[in-house]
Amino acid sequence: MLTKTLRIPTPDGVADAFAACPDDDRPHPAVLVYPDAFGLRPVLEEMARELAGHGYYVLVPNVYYRQGPAPLIDLPEHIGEEIRPKVIAQLMPLVDAHTTERVLRDADAYLAFLADRPEVAAGPVAAIGYCMGAVLAMRTATAHPDRVAAVAGFHPGFLVTEDPDSPHLLIPEHLTAEVHLGLAEKDMTPEAIATIDEAFEAAGVGHSTEVYPGAIHGFTMSDTDAFDAAAFQRHWDRLLPLLGRTLTGV
């Protein structure tokens, strides 16, 4: 396994990022992984290594790079419920500053970077995300329908909102990727699920929106109290076949 800390030029500066890929001197399909609100940290690096072990070049950017390299705040090794509100309060200004315009400029830069990497195979890429990262993945896919063949979002953030730039509004005319959304039981209302499923149907894309039984928001993150081992395994059980179908034809 090869791992690197990288610096990716963007229109707004230089983004630090973590990358992992098999150590076999062959190009591999790329997977762009957007972190949750807690950002790039050891648990995301470990998940990238796991995914790379299945034959992918995995890139995890620090989406808060404009404010500095990761980690931007002093995260505890385990984000328990007692400390979570304090951590979230520190992160919210960074989340709010990451506007749709910034997301799209960054997506352009990340995909251009991947296209130039000798370790990355020619062909489509996948965009996946956790919590707010699911929104970033969806925006990347709808902005680059010619590049992104798969989208996965786990315990997603606000995919259906009343805002004029709500992610779901771009799906019918711009999404071409196959999609899986893995939800905790309270991540989206039944009405929101119906709305986004209608958008997927209008786009004519393969999709699944699944509520993972018993899971709470953040279930994939082993450095939080929300972690759920069964739901985490279900996430791999859904993600790996999706990537195989769309990126490798397996």
Side-chain angles (χ1 to χ4, degrees):
M1 179 72 60
L2 293 176
T3 62
K4 291 183 179 179
T5 299
L6 302 168
R7 292 172 59 81
I8 302 173
T10 81
D12 298 333
V14 179
D16 52 307
F18 177 84
C21 65
D23 184 10
D24 59 8
D25 296 320
R26 293 190 295 111
H28 296 275
V31 181
L32 175 58
V33 178
Y34 288 112
D36 61 359
F38 297 124
L40 177 57
R41 60 196 193 281
V43 68
L44 267 298
E45 294 176 3
E46 182 56 36
M47 291 166 71
R49 291 187 187 94
E50 173 69 22
L51 186 52
H54 292 275
Y56 300 100
Y57 182 96
V58 184
L59 180 69
V60 191
N62 167 28
V63 299
Y64 302 136
Y65 70 87
R66 292 173 181 85
Q67 289 77 27
L72 276 160
I73 67 170
D74 186 18
L75 284 174
E77 289 187 11
H78 186 83
I79 306 167
E81 286 305 308
E82 71 286 349
I83 195 68
R84 183 185 180 95
K86 179 180 178 181
V87 174
I88 291 293
Q90 291 178 275
L91 290 170
M92 280 312 299
L94 306 179
V95 174
D96 292 341
H98 202 52
T99 61
T100 299
E101 291 75 15
R102 288 182 170 185
V103 171
L104 295 177
R105 288 200 297 272
D106 289 349
D108 292 348
Y110 301 149
L111 292 178
F113 174 85
L114 290 170
D116 287 341
R117 297 298 296 185
E119 306 97 324
V120 173
V125 305
I128 70 175
Y130 301 87
C131 183
M132 77 168 195
V135 175
L136 276 56
M138 190 64 71
R139 292 200 186 283
T140 299
T142 53
H144 296 274
D146 58 328
R147 293 288 310 283
V148 180
V151 176
F154 299 96
H155 42 90
F158 300 105
L159 290 171
V160 177
T161 74
E162 297 297 326
D163 296 333
D165 66 344
S166 176
H168 81 283
L169 296 176
L170 294 174
I171 289 172
E173 293 188 8
H174 297 282
L175 187 71
T176 59
E178 183 178 346
V179 182
H180 174 73
L181 298 180
L183 311 177
E185 291 190 340
K186 296 182 180 180
D187 277 337
M188 297 176 70
T189 66
E191 294 78 14
I193 292 173
T195 295
I196 202 163
D197 279 345
E198 288 172 4
F200 293 143
E201 291 289 343
V205 298
H207 64 279
S208 59
T209 306
E210 181 179 358
V211 177
Y212 292 10
I216 62 175
H217 185 74
F219 58 78
T220 61
M221 298 298 156
S222 62
D223 60 351
T224 74
D225 284 353
F227 181 67
D228 182 314
F232 184 53
Q233 183 58 51
R234 185 183 294 258
H235 136 279
W236 288 123
D237 292 344
R238 301 298 185 266
L239 177 59
L240 294 175
L242 170 66
L243 298 179
R245 288 193 299 273
T246 56
L247 300 187
T248 69
V250 175

